[in-house]
Structure formats: structure tokens, C-alpha cells
Amino acid sequence: MKRLEISKLMDEYMDNEFCPEEGSATSTAAVKARVLAQASPAKKRRMPRWKTALIAAALAVGAVLCIAAGLPATVYYLLNGGTVTVQQGPNGYKSYDFSNQFPTEPVVLEDGRLWLVLDGERTDITDQINMETPYIMERTDPESGLTNFLIVGGTPEDFGYCSYQEVPSGGFAGGGSGGCYTSYSTIDGVPYDVRDLTPEQYEQRDPGGDYDEWRPWYLNAMEQLRERGYNW
């Protein structure tokens, strides 16, 4: 399974997601929402408050590098009712604001069942997804011809979802709610789910021993979309 080094998480998000090009800008809320979404645990298993505070502090510093400018912007309306705002900056540079990507949760857990809640309708998708199998919804804007995806995967005990919006310059912008990958740290060479670490264990982590593994359903969704010709 593919690994991602946690130590590179902030740099990659700032460079490739929120500030994909030199001169890009975004808000503190957008940065915090995106990084906490990807670094946070799946539903029912929350990150300890002490670690959340550490991440939030780092985000506050990082966001200073990307201060939004009052320039023209394009708003994309997502399947789940959220938006992604793309702001045109100087010299053609763009910034992406994901702070309203998930105004409400598109997937809810009720009585052991997972419900997709969109456009006022509820669909039970519990039996259509698992840790290997994603549920993919697709919608194309008839005016722009650009496509938005909502992807859900996992089980009632451990699920996640993400949304991606196609942008005119090529590729997609977006991110997940959590549960898209699992974060690990090693202590004396033994891997541990970071959600299970105590503050004392967190301080005992091996240098360079932090990494992430994408969930199989997420990887399978990306592969399916690549096979359909989408550039990820």
C-alpha cells in the first residue's frame, strides 16, 4: 500500500493544494480544513485534542504565507452543496479556497447504516461500499463542461469521503473529510496508528518514522477514474 510521509504533509498541501502555483493565496480556515481533514481519523475515532492543537498551531503559521487578495474568483458548486472557490491572482496565478467544501456532511451514520444525503434525498449505501469498494457520484456542469466527483468508502465503523472538482487549467482540486488514509508512527521500529498514541508515546516516535497509507477504497476510486480518462 502506498505510503506518504507525514513530515511532508504540510509542505505538500501548501505547495500543491492551497498554493499550487507561485503567488497563490488562501485563507487560514481553508488550510486548516484541508489539512485537518486529511490528517484526522475516520469517524468514531477522533484525534486526541492535544495533537489537534499542535496541528492547528502549525496551520496558523503556514497560512500566513498564503493571504487572500481581493481579486476576481470563480465559484464551483459541488455535489454535496458545498463550494470550491478559485481566485485569479496576479500573473495568472490561482488560489483555491476549500473552506466551504463540506458545509454539511454528505454521509451520515444512523443505526449502523451509512446514508448519502444529497439534494434533500437519502440513499442507504451501506451495502454498496467497504474497505475495498468505493461509491462514486459524478456530475458535470452543462455550462462549463467541468466535472465534480463525490467519493465514499469504508464501513459503518470506519468510513470517509472526499470531493474533487475539475478545473479549467487541468486536473482537479479538492480533498477529503477524513478516513481517506491512516497515519502511522513507529516507536523502536514498531508501527502504531497515531490515533492510538498517548502524548508520552507521541514524544517517543522514531525520527523519520511517520508515514501515511491511503485506504484501499480511495486508491481503487482513483484508479477507476484514471481508467475513465480523468487526469489525477
Side-chain angles (χ1 to χ4, degrees):
M1 188 176 293
K2 184 177 180 181
R3 292 186 176 187
L4 300 174
E5 294 183 18
I6 296 177
S7 61
K8 297 180 180 179
L9 186 63
M10 282 299 301
D11 288 342
E12 290 177 353
Y13 286 166
M14 295 297 292
D15 293 341
N16 302 327
E17 295 291 344
F18 288 97
C19 294
E21 301 175 82
E22 182 183 355
S24 294
T26 190
S27 65
T28 303
V31 181
K32 180 176 180 180
R34 177 67 174 95
V35 180
L36 284 181
Q38 290 286 27
S40 66
K43 297 293 180 181
K44 299 299 181 180
R45 298 183 65 188
R46 297 184 180 277
M47 180 182 295
R49 291 183 179 178
W50 58 270
K51 186 174 182 188
T52 302
L54 291 177
I55 295 177
L59 294 173
V61 175
V64 174
L65 302 176
C66 294
I67 301 175
L71 296 169
T74 301
V75 178
Y76 296 98
Y77 294 90
L78 308 180
L79 273 167
N80 61 297
T83 59
V84 171
T85 301
V86 181
Q87 190 172 50
Q88 184 70 48
N91 303 319
Y93 298 133
K94 296 182 177 65
S95 64
Y96 297 82
D97 185 351
F98 301 99
S99 59
N100 194 47
Q101 186 177 10
F102 296 108
T104 59
E105 295 190 29
V107 182
V108 297
L109 176 64
E110 293 181 0
D111 298 323
R113 308 294 293 181
L114 290 173
W115 294 85
L116 183 68
V117 183
L118 294 173
D119 299 327
E121 298 183 359
R122 293 162 50 89
T123 304
D124 187 342
I125 60 172
T126 311
D127 300 325
Q128 301 184 56
I129 63 175
N130 53 45
M131 295 306 290
E132 299 283 341
T133 306
Y135 182 93
I136 303 175
M137 288 194 67
E138 174 181 345
R139 179 179 295 170
T140 300
D141 186 328
E143 294 185 6
S144 67
L146 300 176
T147 303
N148 171 236
F149 295 97
L150 178 65
I151 305 167
V152 186
T155 66
E157 296 74 27
D158 192 356
F159 67 93
Y161 52 84
C162 56
S163 178
Y164 287 98
Q165 170 65 49
E166 186 178 14
V167 294
S169 58
F172 290 78
S177 66
C180 294
Y181 63 72
T182 304
S183 298
Y184 294 95
S185 291
T186 63
I187 300 176
D188 295 331
V190 179
Y192 294 89
D193 188 324
V194 297
R195 297 170 293 186
D196 298 330
L197 295 179
T198 65
E200 292 75 18
Q201 288 175 317
Y202 190 79
E203 295 300 324
Q204 298 170 7
R205 294 171 302 143
D206 298 332
D210 299 340
Y211 64 93
D212 299 330
E213 289 185 349
W214 292 106
R215 298 295 176 84
W217 64 262
Y218 179 90
L219 292 174
N220 290 337
M222 297 299 102
E223 183 60 29
Q224 289 181 33
L225 293 175
R226 281 192 291 268
E227 290 176 353
R228 289 162 57 182
Y230 291 104
N231 177 27
W232 294 86

